[in-house]
């Protein structure tokens, strides 16, 4: 898997790091064979949970958008904020 420098998120662990953390924590109470199975299951559940995240409505400033962006109601006096979904 090739990654570019801008696609790397240092704040988020890789799947390998997450699996290794799960595995080493499970070794405290399980045999290595059982820990491998549980770590695999943990990673599978994590991937299922985060594979299709819900849309979240956040506030963004109009000046953050490119020049020429049209908004639904330009005449409304709602202040400088608009609500837009992000992923």
């Amino acid at each position: 898997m090739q990654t570019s420098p801008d696609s790397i998120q240092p704040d988020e662990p890789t799947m390998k790091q997450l699996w290794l953390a799960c595995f080493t924590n499970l070794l405290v109470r399980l045999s290595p064979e059982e820990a491998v199975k549980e770590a695999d299951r943990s990673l599978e559940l994590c991937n299922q949970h985060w594979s299709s995240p819900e849309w979240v409505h956040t506030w963004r400033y109009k000046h953050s958008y490119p020049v020429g962006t049209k908004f639904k109601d330009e005449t409304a006096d709602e202040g400088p904020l608009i609500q837009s979904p992000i992923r």
Side-chain angles (χ1 to χ4, degrees):
M1 181 168 103
Q2 300 241 339
T3 59
S4 60
D6 60 355
S7 68
I8 297 172
Q9 308 242 350
D11 297 341
E12 297 179 7
T14 63
M15 288 177 35
K16 182 177 180 179
Q17 291 170 332
L18 180 62
W19 185 90
L20 189 58
C22 289
F23 175 71
T24 53
N25 286 317
L26 288 166
L27 283 176
V28 173
R29 60 181 175 88
L30 299 173
S31 69
E33 294 81 17
E34 292 174 329
V36 167
K37 290 178 186 175
E38 288 295 319
D40 288 341
R41 180 71 179 136
S42 297
L43 194 59
E44 179 184 322
L45 290 173
C46 182
N47 286 333
Q48 285 176 2
H49 179 76
W50 294 108
S51 64
S52 59
E54 298 293 323
W55 283 83
V56 177
H57 288 281
T58 62
W59 291 99
R60 293 187 177 184
Y61 287 96
K62 287 184 178 181
H63 67 263
S64 298
Y65 288 86
V67 174
T69 301
K70 300 293 181 192
F71 301 101
K72 283 186 179 180
D73 190 2
E74 290 280 343
T75 60
D77 188 21
E78 299 173 0
L81 298 174
I82 60 167
Q83 193 175 17
S84 64
I86 62 168
R87 262 199 138 170

